[in-house]
Amino acid sequence: MWHSSFYGLIWDEIHVHSNAVKIAYNSHPAGAILVTDAMGAMGLPDGQYKLGNMTVDVGPLADMKDNTRAAVIQGTSTLAGSIITLIECVRKFKEFTQCSLVEAIEAATLHPAQMLGIEHRKGTLEYGTDADIILLTDDLQVERVFVRGELATPETVGN
């Protein structure tokens, strides 16, 4: 079921210009969907990694004043994908747009579910939903993850 118009943002300060984020959010906050475009090197230290048959370099971008890290095709400045986690996108989005915590989290949970028409199962804590829950600290660090009501551990992930 179609609900509204939505737009995706990879808010890693590389993929989308900051002014575009402000314009989009201020124009239609309920349509914001945070995505990562993350590749396998997400969360790994600086270095070289494989992406299909390509080698990518992960590390700070030379032209970024704040040491923003990125993955580029080896020997080029061409982005190979993002290395930002979704919770990092939420933190950056909240800080940059000055939106509420609820709005930032909904951009990563409820809005994608609404766009896909699965908000009756995902993106909410309503009774009868799948009980996929992330417990966060006050500074938006992931503390625990529950999938279908069960604590996710290294032993249970992927099963």
Side-chain angles (χ1 to χ4, degrees), residues 5 9 23 25 42-43 72 75 82 92-93 130 143:
S5 57
L9 296 170
I23 290 168
Y25 174 73
M42 176 187 68
V72 297
S82 174
K92 286 178 179 281
F93 185 73
D130 287 348
E143 197 167 271

Side-chain angles (χ1 to χ4, degrees), residues 26-90:
N26 290 327
S27 299
H28 186 43
I33 295 178
L34 297 175
V35 293
T36 67
D37 185 33
M39 56 172 289
M42 176 187 68
L44 298 178
D46 292 354
Q48 291 187 334
Y49 299 94
K50 291 303 251 182
L51 178 61
N53 63 352
M54 296 181 294
T55 300
V56 298
D57 293 321
V58 172
L61 287 175
D63 58 345
M64 299 292 280
K65 59 183 171 279
D66 63 353
N67 288 327
T68 298
R69 296 174 66 238
V72 297
I73 297 172
Q74 184 180 32
T76 74
S77 60
T78 303
L79 287 177
S82 174
I83 53 172
I84 192 166
T85 64
L86 192 53
I87 196 61
E88 287 174 303
C89 281
V90 169

Side-chain angles (χ1 to χ4, degrees), residues 13-33:
E13 300 178 73
I14 301 167
H15 279 80
V16 181
H17 192 279
S18 57
N19 289 335
V21 173
K22 283 185 179 182
I23 290 168
Y25 174 73
N26 290 327
S27 299
H28 186 43
I33 295 178

